Amino acid sequence: MNILLISYRFYEYDGRLRELINISKTLGSTIYITRSNGNVLDKEESHILISTKDGFWGYIKFVFKTVNLALQNKDMNVLFVDDRRAVLPALIIKLFRNSLTVIQDVRELWIAEEVKHLRGKIGCFFEKKLIKQADFLICANSYRAKIMKEYYSLSEEPLVYENIRILSFSKEHSEIETHNKLSKYIEREAFRIIVTSGCDISRTTDKLVLAMKDLSNEFELLIVGGGSKEDEKIITELIEKNEINNIKLIGRLGENELKYLIQKCDLGVVNYNQIDTNNKYCASGKIYEFTNEGLPVVTTENIPLIEMVNQFGIGVADDNYVNGILIIKENYEEYKKNACLFSQKIDVKNNNFKLACKIKELLKI
């Protein structure tokens, strides 16, 4: 079986993408196309990197290059499509190669009626077209599987592949170099909190920023990740206007740097909104990333997050960030112990194995 996996995601920053590639490799010979910003240290010959800028023309470049590369690959018989922005090139490829078996990972659940901007609605339109053509669908949790079956009038629920993932250091990782780069962010003694969703206002990062104003300088917040220029401006102005001095903005980090920084923190924040279906029924891999490093978590009050933190005692689900952080701080040893115990149950290989077995069974291989 010859598989082409296509994704518009950045290989360096996307744990789910990397694990899907590992799964694909167990199914057959895999060539995979992803985006990159040039920081891929472990590139393989079968990994085709497309470097494009964000925006319309960058995306068009990705579509044309992906379609061209796919049509040159005459031996391909399975197309593995990761996420919504890979849908358009997949549909074009399918036009020319109708016999291809399509595996589609609907990792996010955007409902057209909930999306407010035109670009998003167009994305939902194309995604739905591929969903109707796909041979096998994958989603990120059981809540989404039930919703998708009803919303798309599917004959059965999609396969569920949880975002179970951990961060790991590459062979080329240098702890000295990483420390030298990041030491300025962790130089003072503090109860250090980390959030890796960037400056995304839709995830209530602005509320988290204001919460730090109400906490003493014993606490410190590291905001890691990207965000729109508009959101970054709002967060920066919010910090300056309120004279908050216990927050550091770091931007995007590669896997080596992110793992190192999390290890230097005490608490992870996992935040989503509860406005749209995609966020309301979130499927966060961040909980696994944090707890694997022994960090308890404060989460927003989304149903899957409430269920997880309550079941395993690994944190607190509370939209009032100050309240959640203080509860964790006051009972820190207990929550940390539970996080460490939970980390022992994280089995990425078994999670991958279960999905691979289900796909093999359906493909009859």
Side-chain angles (χ1 to χ4, degrees), residues 19 45 72 77 92 123 178 191 213 317 322 325 342:
E19 296 306 330
E45 188 176 342
Q72 288 177 19
N77 46 33
I92 297 171
T178 304
F191 185 83
K213 181 183 178 182
V322 173
I325 290 168
F342 179 72

Side-chain angles (χ1 to χ4, degrees), residues 139-292:
C139 68
N141 64 30
S142 58
Y143 294 101
R144 295 182 179 205
K146 290 181 175 63
I147 293 167
M148 284 182 65
K149 183 176 185 295
E150 181 178 348
Y151 181 73
Y152 292 111
S153 301
L154 304 175
S155 58
E156 55 188 30
E157 292 181 3
L159 301 174
V160 173
Y161 176 63
E162 297 275 354
N163 276 322
I164 298 175
R165 62 177 189 249
I166 61 174
L167 300 170
S168 57
F169 291 123
S170 68
K171 293 178 183 178
E172 296 82 3
H173 172 244
S174 166
E175 186 169 349
I176 294 174
E177 288 181 12
T178 304
H179 174 76
N180 290 339
K181 181 176 181 179
L182 299 176
S183 60
K184 61 184 177 182
Y185 300 116
I186 52 176
E187 55 192 3
R188 79 177 185 90
E189 289 292 322
F191 185 83
R192 195 163 288 113
I193 304 160
I194 184 168
V195 62
T196 58
S197 52
C199 294
D200 192 340
I201 299 297
S202 72
R203 291 194 176 192
T204 68
T205 306
D206 53 338
K207 292 182 180 179
L208 178 59
V209 165
L210 290 175
M212 297 307 297
K213 181 183 178 182
D214 295 329
L215 294 168
S216 69
N217 278 340
E218 178 188 358
F219 298 85
E220 184 171 70
L221 173 66
L222 306 182
I223 299 179
V224 179
S228 68
K229 290 183 179 179
E230 182 180 348
D231 281 0
E232 289 178 1
K233 182 181 178 183
I234 290 171
I235 293 298
T236 301
E237 290 178 350
L238 205 57
I239 293 170
E240 292 174 352
K241 180 181 178 181
N242 289 277
E243 298 180 344
I244 305 172
N245 56 16
N246 57 350
I247 296 178
K248 293 176 181 176
L249 302 178
I250 299 177
R252 274 182 166 176
L253 295 176
E255 187 175 5
N256 288 331
E257 296 164 344
L258 182 58
K259 182 178 175 68
Y260 177 86
L261 197 62
I262 290 174
Q263 289 178 344
K264 304 300 180 183
C265 294
D266 302 290
L267 172 66
V269 172
V270 180
N271 55 345
Y272 294 86
N273 71 53
Q274 289 131 52
I275 300 169
D276 55 69
T277 302
N278 183 57
N279 283 281
K280 186 176 181 181
Y281 297 100
C282 58
S284 180
K286 298 180 188 298
I287 286 182
Y288 297 102
E289 291 178 350
F290 289 142
T291 54
N292 187 64

